[in-house]
Amino acid sequence: MLMYLAAAAPKPENPYGLMEALEQGGTIAWTVFLILCAMSVGTFYILFTKLIEQQKVISQGKKIRATFWRAASLKEASAKLEKNSAYKQIVDDGIKAQDEHGKLKDPVEAHDWLHGSLARSEAAINSSLNGGLAFLATVGSTSPFIGLFGTVIGIYRALIKIGAAGQASIDAVAGPVGEALIMTAIGLFVAIPAVFAFNFFSKINSATISKFDTFAHDLHDFFATGSRVR
């Protein structure tokens, strides 16, 4: 009977949980928490969208190596590429530059004209690939300090309670100190994935950009010689 009553008795609520800490911290604690949550959501959104983007680029690269140079002409090869493919953008920009070169009133060396066009196309693609990395770097570098701000406020509130009570009792400081530790933990939780994602995509983007550069050089050689230079 006693065991039944003990099991049926409601469990005491935890007065030092996350929600309790935020309620005790007031507007400042909630503001810090919401800012860190927004940073975390943005980080994971960029993480997943960039993973999908990189997977598409890798798939497009495999198709390029398998079929592109076997086509009878560049226009035919370009038509077989995906509509929004980065590789298709480079090819189409090269074809457009070649067509426009003959229309120039002040003739420019075809080599320089084509090289400049392909370089601009690569730069636009590189800018797109690096989109979002600045946000990841900002989150990784600032979120620990935002969490630290919440920590400082929590410690400050604990000191005020100690001063008001006249003694450093556990009951007086447990809430504010718990709030301070929670803010520190949240700041680190937000920063670590952002730093890892930034480093990962910076490295993989360097490899991807190198492949685009190789493809653009091969394309330039094809325009100059009529065949791919190996």
Side-chain angles (χ1 to χ4, degrees), residues 31 99 103 108 185:
T31 301
D99 293 340
K103 302 176 183 178
V108 179

Short mmCIF file of all heavy atoms in Angstrom, two decimals, residues 31 99 103 108 185:
data_model
loop_
_atom_site.label_atom_id
_atom_site.label_comp_id
_atom_site.label_asym_id
_atom_site.label_seq_id
_atom_site.Cartn_x
_atom_site.Cartn_y
_atom_site.Cartn_z
N THR A 31 15.71 37.31 -24.21
CA THR A 31 16.29 37.91 -25.41
C THR A 31 17.53 37.15 -25.86
O THR A 31 17.69 36.82 -27.05
CB THR A 31 16.64 39.39 -25.16
OG1 THR A 31 15.46 40.10 -24.78
CG2 THR A 31 17.24 40.01 -26.41
N ASP A 99 30.34 34.09 -79.41
CA ASP A 99 29.42 34.68 -80.41
C ASP A 99 29.53 36.21 -80.41
O ASP A 99 29.44 36.85 -81.47
CB ASP A 99 27.98 34.26 -80.12
CG ASP A 99 27.76 32.77 -80.35
OD1 ASP A 99 28.58 32.16 -81.08
OD2 ASP A 99 26.80 32.21 -79.78
N LYS A 103 31.16 40.53 -82.89
CA LYS A 103 30.33 41.72 -83.04
C LYS A 103 30.99 42.96 -82.45
O LYS A 103 30.41 44.05 -82.53
CB LYS A 103 28.98 41.49 -82.36
CG LYS A 103 28.22 40.29 -82.90
CD LYS A 103 26.92 40.07 -82.13
CE LYS A 103 26.19 38.83 -82.61
NZ LYS A 103 24.95 38.59 -81.83
N VAL A 108 39.05 42.86 -79.74
CA VAL A 108 39.86 42.44 -78.61
C VAL A 108 40.36 41.04 -78.90
O VAL A 108 39.68 40.25 -79.57
CB VAL A 108 39.03 42.45 -77.30
CG1 VAL A 108 39.87 41.99 -76.12
CG2 VAL A 108 38.48 43.84 -77.04
N ALA A 185 26.16 27.12 -21.73
CA ALA A 185 26.02 25.87 -22.48
C ALA A 185 25.33 26.09 -23.82
O ALA A 185 25.73 25.54 -24.85
CB ALA A 185 25.24 24.86 -21.64
#
